[in-house]
Amino acid sequence: MRTEDEVLIVGGGIMGLAIALELKLRGTSVTVLSRDFRQAAAHAAAGMLAPQAEALPPGPMRDLSLQSLEAYPEWVRKIEDLSSTDIGYQACGILAPVYDAPSDTPNNSSTPARRWLDQTAIHLAQPGLNPDILGGWWLPEEGQVDNRALTGALRSAAESVGVTIHEGVAVTDVERRHGKVVGMRSPTGTWQAQHYILATGAWSQALLPVPVQPLKGQMISVAAPMVDAAERPLQQVLFGPDGLYLVPRRDGRIIVGATVEAVGFAPHNTPAGLQELLSKAMRLFPAIAQFPIQECWWGFRPTTPDQFPILGASPYNNLSLAIGHHRNGILLAPITAHLIANLVTTHETDPLLPHFSWERFLSPMVPSPATASPAPSSYSSPKSMSQPSTLPSATPTQTDLTVARSSDRPLIIAGQTFHSRLMTGTGKYDNFEVMQQSVAASGCEIVTVAVRRVQTKAPGHEGLAEALDWSRIWMLPNTAGCQTAEEAIRVARLGREMAKLLGQEDNNFVKLEVIPDTQYLLPDPIGTLEAAETLVKEGFAVLPYINADPLLAKRLEDVGCATVMPLGSPIGSGQGIRNTANIQIIIENAKVPVVVDAGIGTPSEAAQAMEMGADALLINTAIAKAHNPVAMAQAMGMATVAGRLAYLAGRIPVQGNASASSPLTGRIGKA
Ligand code: GLY
């Protein structure tokens, strides 16, 4: 099935349509293949145009967003003229109230503009806010658009100028030959054009091994009383300190958004999601408690590891990418359309585009298991993405492990970002060489080191600290061997000095171990909490090793620990996870990363902990004492990725009855 058109766009959401319109207006013929218009993230969004409220960091992302915001009025006019539809664009400003004093000094003359409103001013500007709100930012240049009206109008506008849109066409494969895309395969045939654009949002990984993951957001709308516009209870967009936002529409609806959930493509609104939204909304703006609920829905943000979009060139010279816009797709649509249309029609690369290149995900901090390990590997290294002839014909099941890892949200601990979710140690190896190879084969980025044993040059520890390349590995000094809180505090301070001496000036991490018991090596909960309190006050990022006690975990989180590290079973025992129920409770309740530490003996147990939703693992003995530590390190690295992917993918429910793999309906048989 060949289209006569020059450009074929896969994706009928806001990006696909915006690019199609722009290209067509420049005289390029365009076809759009849309799988299901209603599933697009733009349909689910709230329509805020909010680079500052969204706290986009200064740099290319903020520049891109501000250029897009500036382009909005003209872009809206064009779409409204072509579609004869009002799309509810309002440059109405956004109010960002806070419950606590901000850490930065209120500055009313910054660019982009923002103005600090004190407690009196903010309650005057928006009556009905929670009395505990003690001020907030007024962001006069931000605004909103009615995103559903926008996507509908954009579609009509595109059709009105001659863009062909095929709805209900699901592309299943990108056909590639000799470094070029030669077609987009769908159940109804293969579509061909001269140039292709992928604008497939959260579903992009099904077509190409790009690190774009769905990040679910649940939403609610309520109906405010229908009174004159000037008397409406909510006069402006509110963007709360906890990420909750309220967006009042001209028709009286208030959109309440949104949860942020890494649950893969798990559909539906959930009681927990709705409760979170409603409680935060009623806290920020109590009057909302009485407004009738109109609608609940959900959508999937397309999110990359750094949360910036992937724009421009791809490994194939006739395929461009416009994916991964995370929370900012509505805002970024005009600039994305402009830059991609420039690239396709004039081959002009805007200076901003290289910052959003897919290639930025090709350089992991440490070698991937595939490149680090001497063992033969059946999966390709990340470099395969730069060689189109070896790019796997991608389906999610064929995506290589490194891409799988980089497609995940990074692990963030105390502001430091890590792409591996496996931590290892240095103890118990037969020699340094095996330790070095095992650390590399595991793909880990964090290695824990026993400060005391290094300081006292315990057997096997002399020269150990120098044996690893600390420019590539983040050191996690631990307080192993400390029996009291006082000892652990002292050793933690030494650990900080040790990290500094080895070149990690900004490393304030400590794995806190207070272990009086020498038989089972179980941690002392009271001593751990005491030491944690002191160390947090001293500015340490504390990662406490604890028994799997949910209440203790909560207390440690409350005092400011950076993670909690519940043990699966006693250190070095290889008994696996003996306390699943408690670890599950900790995972469900923790707001800091949960690192399952100790007891894991096999890759299947590592995968099990990750499938439960652990954020990371620490494994030492099972690797160091394995018959072949290097191979076991690689296996543990792979199991950690597999378990994490499985967790994100969402397992099937356990059923009492069988369920046939082939459907029983539609069989050929007797009528
Ligand atoms: N743009 C807001 C959100 O993604 O929730």
Side-chain angles (χ1 to χ4, degrees):
M1 201 177 294
R2 172 178 289 278
T3 99
E4 294 304 312
D5 289 339
E6 293 154 276
V7 175
L8 181 69
I9 299 179
V10 184
I14 190 167
M15 295 306 158
L17 293 172
I19 297 167
L21 176 63
E22 188 66 29
L23 282 171
K24 187 70 193 175
L25 290 174
R26 295 177 186 207
T28 306
S29 54
V30 192
T31 292
V32 175
L33 303 181
S34 169
R35 186 169 52 100
D36 183 356
F37 180 56
R38 290 156 312 171
Q39 279 199 19
H43 194 73
M48 280 182 303
L49 307 173
Q52 282 201 90
E54 287 282 356
L56 298 180
M61 182 60 180
R62 187 179 295 175
D63 296 346
L64 187 78
S65 306
L66 292 177
Q67 283 188 29
S68 207
L69 189 65
E70 205 179 310
Y72 237 88
E74 183 51 38
W75 192 62
V76 167
R77 202 168 307 126
K78 185 162 62 188
I79 296 166
E80 290 190 333
D81 286 350
L82 288 169
S83 64
S84 308
T85 309
D86 174 0
I87 60 175
Y89 169 64
Q90 302 175 60
C92 52
I94 290 182
L95 195 57
V98 296
Y99 294 105
D100 303 305
S103 53
D104 54 345
T105 318
N107 163 12
N108 290 334
S109 59
S110 66
T111 309
R114 62 176 192 168
R115 193 148 62 83
W116 174 252
L117 304 184
D118 65 17
Q119 193 160 19
T120 313
I122 198 163
H123 288 277
L124 272 175
Q126 178 53 65
L129 290 175
N130 182 326
D132 290 345
I133 293 289
L134 57 69
W137 292 106
W138 170 238
L139 311 170
E141 289 165 7
E142 318 230 312
Q144 63 156 305
V145 64
D146 182 337
N147 47 291
R148 288 191 193 167
L150 167 62
T151 47
L154 196 48
R155 200 180 159 92
S156 310
E159 281 174 329
S160 77
V161 295
V163 172
T164 310
I165 302 175
H166 293 281
E167 185 61 37
V169 177
V171 169
T172 54
D173 245 316
V174 179
E175 291 187 1
R176 295 162 276 217
R177 207 167 303 134
H178 307 307
K180 283 188 74 160
V181 172
V182 293
M184 295 288 173
R185 199 181 312 148
S186 78
T188 51
T190 295
W191 299 75
Q192 293 177 319
Q194 291 162 26
H195 194 94
Y196 301 84
I197 297 173
L198 217 57
T200 35
W203 292 267
S204 301
Q205 237 190 51
L207 297 179
L208 215 60
V210 283
V212 179
Q213 287 284 340
L215 201 56
K216 182 176 172 182
Q218 301 190 47
M219 316 270 291
I220 302 176
S221 65
V222 298
M226 279 309 287
V227 287
D228 285 348
E231 288 168 25
R232 296 224 172 113
L234 186 61
Q235 287 292 330
Q236 48 245 313
V237 178
L238 297 182
F239 199 108
D242 45 13
L244 183 278
Y245 46 81
L246 301 178
V247 184
R249 296 277 201 246
R250 286 194 186 125
D251 62 6
R253 276 178 306 145
I254 299 177
I255 314 293
V256 183
T259 61
V260 179
E261 299 167 74
V263 291
F265 286 109
H268 306 303
N269 287 111
T270 59
L274 299 185
Q275 184 189 38
E276 179 190 327
L277 289 180
L278 291 172
S279 61
K280 285 182 178 173
M282 289 186 290
R283 178 167 183 234
L284 182 63
F285 188 62
I288 207 168
Q290 303 309 325
F291 300 164
I293 292 183
Q294 279 203 326
E295 194 190 345
C296 307
W297 68 97
W298 70 92
F300 300 105
R301 305 173 183 91
T303 298
T304 63
D306 59 12
Q307 305 185 341
F308 298 164
I310 301 176
L311 302 176
S314 77
Y316 308 95
N317 58 18
N318 65 338
L319 174 72
S320 306
L321 304 174
I323 51 181
H325 291 76
H326 183 47
R327 298 174 62 100
N328 305 296
I330 305 286
L331 170 65
L332 293 175
I335 192 75
T336 301
H338 174 76
L339 295 179
I340 300 294
N342 274 358
L343 186 69
V344 173
T345 56
T346 67
H347 304 286
E348 185 190 302
T349 301
D350 188 279
L352 270 176
L353 273 182
H355 296 285
F356 301 99
S357 161
W358 63 281
E359 286 174 296
R360 70 188 189 272
F361 298 113
L362 290 183
S363 325
M365 185 173 155
V366 295
S368 72
T371 52
S373 163
S377 153
S378 60
Y379 54 86
S380 50
S381 80
K383 288 291 175 210
S384 64
M385 277 191 71
S386 62
Q387 294 156 7
S389 57
T390 61
L391 190 81
S393 158
T395 67
T397 50
Q398 291 166 308
T399 304
D400 78 55
L401 277 185
T402 306
V403 172
R405 197 177 78 173
S406 66
S407 68
D408 189 4
R409 238 175 345 114
L411 170 69
I412 299 178
I413 300 176
Q416 297 286 338
T417 299
F418 305 97
H419 296 284
S420 166
R421 291 174 178 272
L422 173 61
M423 308 177 188
T424 62
T426 52
K428 301 189 184 172
Y429 284 97
D430 286 348
N431 58 57
F432 283 172
E433 202 184 336
V434 175
M435 185 268 286
Q436 289 159 333
Q437 285 179 15
S438 301
V439 166
S442 73
C444 75
E445 292 169 328
I446 300 179
V447 172
T448 189
V449 175
V451 178
R452 246 202 164 147
R453 299 198 180 117
V454 171
Q455 294 279 326
T456 58
K457 298 192 168 54
H461 286 74
E462 194 166 359
L464 182 147
E466 291 76 25
L468 286 172
D469 178 358
W470 298 109
S471 65
R472 299 161 75 93
I473 302 281
W474 187 253
M475 180 186 285
L476 176 55
N478 71 58
T479 63
C482 295
Q483 299 194 328
T484 65
E486 294 70 36
E487 274 179 277
I489 292 165
R490 217 170 37 246
V491 170
R493 292 176 189 143
L494 291 174
R496 179 143 72 178
E497 293 314 309
M498 186 169 94
K500 271 196 194 130
L501 280 175
L502 293 167
Q504 296 192 355
E505 286 293 327
D506 55 342
N507 188 339
N508 60 346
F509 279 37
V510 61
K511 178 177 179 234
L512 177 60
E513 297 184 19
V514 181
I515 304 181
D517 148 59
T518 51
Q519 185 178 0
Y520 302 106
L521 295 177
L522 292 173
D524 167 11
I526 296 160
T528 305
L529 184 61
E530 278 170 15
E533 274 176 317
T534 304
L535 290 169
V536 168
K537 282 191 193 129
E538 290 186 15
F540 281 90
V542 181
L543 291 76
Y545 168 66
I546 56 169
N547 221 317
D549 174 346
L551 293 183
L552 176 64
K554 207 72 213 146
R555 289 290 301 272
L556 287 161
E557 183 180 318
D558 291 345
V559 302
C561 287
T563 64
V564 284
M565 303 184 76
L567 56 90
S569 52
I571 296 178
S573 69
Q575 292 176 18
I577 304 189
R578 302 293 289 263
N579 41 19
T580 319
N582 276 17
I583 291 191
Q584 195 75 62
I585 297 172
I586 295 177
I587 290 170
E588 276 163 19
N589 290 288
K591 295 200 176 60
V592 293
V594 177
V595 185
V596 174
D597 180 9
I600 288 175
T602 62
S604 58
E605 289 157 4
Q608 183 200 355
M610 294 306 291
E611 284 167 27
M612 284 164 60
D615 295 282
L617 307 176
L618 198 155
I619 304 174
N620 182 50
T621 310
I623 296 174
K625 297 315 274 177
H627 184 63
N628 180 341
V630 180
M632 185 59 86
Q634 185 178 17
M636 290 295 190
M638 295 163 90
T640 307
V641 174
R644 173 72 182 167
L645 264 186
Y647 168 71
L648 294 175
R651 60 153 300 153
I652 58 163
V654 178
Q655 309 272 15
N657 295 329
S659 143
S661 298
S662 316
L664 296 175
T665 51
R667 282 181 305 169
I668 300 169
K670 281 191 192 148

